[in-house]
Structure formats: C-alpha cells, structure tokens
Amino acid sequence: MAQYYVYDNGSQGGGFLQGILGNIPVVTRNIFMINVLMFIASLINQNFMLETFSVFYPKSPLFRIWQPVTYLFMHGNFWHIFVNMWCLLMFGSVLERAIGTKKYLIFYFVTGLGALLIHFLVQYFQAQALLADASRAAEYYRLLGTPTLGASGAIFGIQIGYAMLYPNALWTLVFPPITLKAKWFVLIFMVIELVTGITGTMDGIAHFAHLGGALFGFILIWWWKKQGTLWKR
C-alpha cells in the first residue's frame, strides 16, 4: 500500500496534523497502540505470535476461533505495520471524527472481517482445485500452513469510506509525488488490486482481502447514507 499526504482544501475536516500532536480519536488511538504492542511481541517471539494470532484457513489444524479478529493486529515486518498505521492515523482519524466512535468501531471490524471472508472464499476455491489434483497435494498443505495477517483489509475499507465522504480531497503519493482526488486514487488502487489478484502477480499479498475490505466499507457507508443514519451519533 502506498503512502500519502492529504490536503483538505479547507472543507474536508482535516485532523491528521492534530492527531500527530496527541489529539487522535479514541478508537483509532487504541487500534494503533494494540498493533504496535502486538508487533513488539512478534519481535520477541515471532513463531508463537504468528501461529497463535495470525489467521489460518479454517480447515488448517492451526486455525483458532479468535484468529479472525486477532489477525487484524498482526504484521509481518516494519514496513507492513508502518504503512498500515500511517494510513490508519491519516484516514482513520478523519473518518472516526466524521461518523462517530461507535460507527467507526463497527466499521473497522466489519471491513476487517469482510476482507477475511472474501479471502477465505478465494482460498476455498484454491483448495478445491488443489484437492482435485493429487499431484498438487504439497501445495494444498502449504495453503493450510500459510498465515494471513495485517490490517490492510480494514485500511482499504477506511480509505474507501474516506473517499466516499470526501471524494474531492487531494491525496499526494510520497513517491512518485502524484496528486489526485481521493475518488480517483481509490479507483486506481482497486483496479490494481483486482488485476494483480487475478494474474497472481505480487505473490504473498492477499489482494482479494484488500478488495473485500473495500467492498464492505463501501456497502456500510452506502447503507448508512441510504438509511439517513450516517451522521447520527
């Protein structure tokens, strides 16, 4: 996931700079802190943390009932957590202030679980294809032993939510320094994720989980708008 600066144009709500100075909303702040603590614990005992708190395909002997929640707070390396937490603070702070603490908490976990649901669905079809071919048994067992981890699905949901609320806010990539409106950036990101997911490029990244988080984020914001409850606390 890319890194961004965000420009408000004086009308989008802002708040990220204030967040850096200590005014990060409560849910965003606590999600950030839990992620950092889990990452530190992973540095101390990586094998235990990966096997216990990452999520495995439900048919794997390593799967545990709590993993669909705890996987959201696990990260594989410094850059993985850095980029996700950067985006959480930047976009999540604004979104939490806009829709309120309760809705934002629901939003975060629904998008995270929705991302995993889509990922499991893709894994199911992969597993069926592997089981149908006896020569690919090793690949099937590798699928069962491969953990999924990271907040990226929920982060994609947050970005979609932000872009739906503030479509004309300007985002600028750190590198390359390209500036576009939020609505165009998220569209480009979704196309990239879809293409890389279908073609299997950038292996080791759960592209369809990212798309799942974005899909559930879109549905939630759309539904709350339709019901007229988006701005009600």
Side-chain angles (χ1 to χ4, degrees):
M1 192 183 300
Q3 298 176 31
Y4 324 87
Y5 296 115
V6 177
Y7 297 91
D8 256 345
N9 290 342
S11 62
Q12 316 304 342
F16 178 65
L17 187 58
Q18 290 180 333
I20 288 295
L21 298 177
N23 194 27
I24 303 169
V26 60
V27 174
T28 299
R29 181 172 67 248
N30 281 287
I31 290 172
F32 175 83
M33 291 172 63
I34 294 170
N35 273 278
V36 171
L37 290 173
M38 293 287 276
F39 184 69
I40 293 172
S42 296
L43 294 177
I44 296 171
N45 193 334
Q46 186 178 46
N47 288 337
F48 171 79
M49 294 297 292
L50 281 176
E51 290 186 7
T52 307
F53 298 113
S54 300
V55 65
F56 293 83
Y57 185 59
K59 286 187 177 292
S60 170
L62 294 171
F63 178 79
R64 300 290 182 269
I65 192 66
W66 58 81
Q67 291 174 350
V69 173
T70 58
Y71 95 99
L72 279 166
F73 302 98
M74 291 289 296
H75 290 86
N77 56 55
F78 172 78
W79 288 111
H80 190 196
I81 189 172
F82 176 82
V83 173
N84 276 344
M85 293 304 98
W86 175 272
C87 292
L88 173 73
L89 294 178
M90 182 176 292
F91 303 115
S93 296
V94 178
L95 191 61
E96 183 176 351
R97 289 192 181 96
I99 67 177
T101 296
K102 182 179 179 180
K103 276 195 182 70
Y104 178 74
L105 183 63
I106 293 170
F107 184 91
Y108 190 84
F109 283 102
V110 167
T111 53
L113 292 172
L116 185 60
L117 178 64
I118 299 301
H119 181 64
F120 277 165
L121 185 62
V122 171
Q123 283 189 315
Y124 170 78
F125 287 111
Q126 290 175 335
Q128 294 308 301
L130 295 174
L131 287 171
D133 185 349
S135 67
R136 304 182 71 185
E139 293 180 60
Y140 175 72
Y141 288 111
R142 186 160 55 248
L143 183 149
L144 295 184
T146 301
T148 299
L149 66 163
S152 300
I155 297 300
F156 268 78
I158 286 173
Q159 290 178 322
I160 284 288
Y162 184 109
M164 290 177 72
L165 268 57
Y166 310 117
N168 295 317
L170 297 178
W171 295 2
T172 299
L173 289 175
V174 174
F175 182 81
I178 299 171
T179 300
L180 288 174
K181 292 181 178 179
K183 59 185 177 183
W184 300 123
F185 258 131
V186 296
L187 180 60
I188 291 169
F189 295 154
M190 294 309 107
V191 170
I192 292 173
E193 289 296 321
L194 182 60
V195 171
T196 52
I198 291 174
T199 59
T201 53
M202 298 178 68
D203 192 28
I205 298 175
H207 300 289
F208 288 103
H210 298 170
L211 291 170
L215 173 64
F216 277 80
F218 175 86
I219 291 172
L220 265 182
I221 297 295
W222 172 82
W223 177 253
W224 284 334
K225 279 186 173 182
K226 182 179 174 63
Q227 296 299 307
T229 61
L230 179 62
W231 305 107
K232 292 181 181 178
R233 302 302 174 108

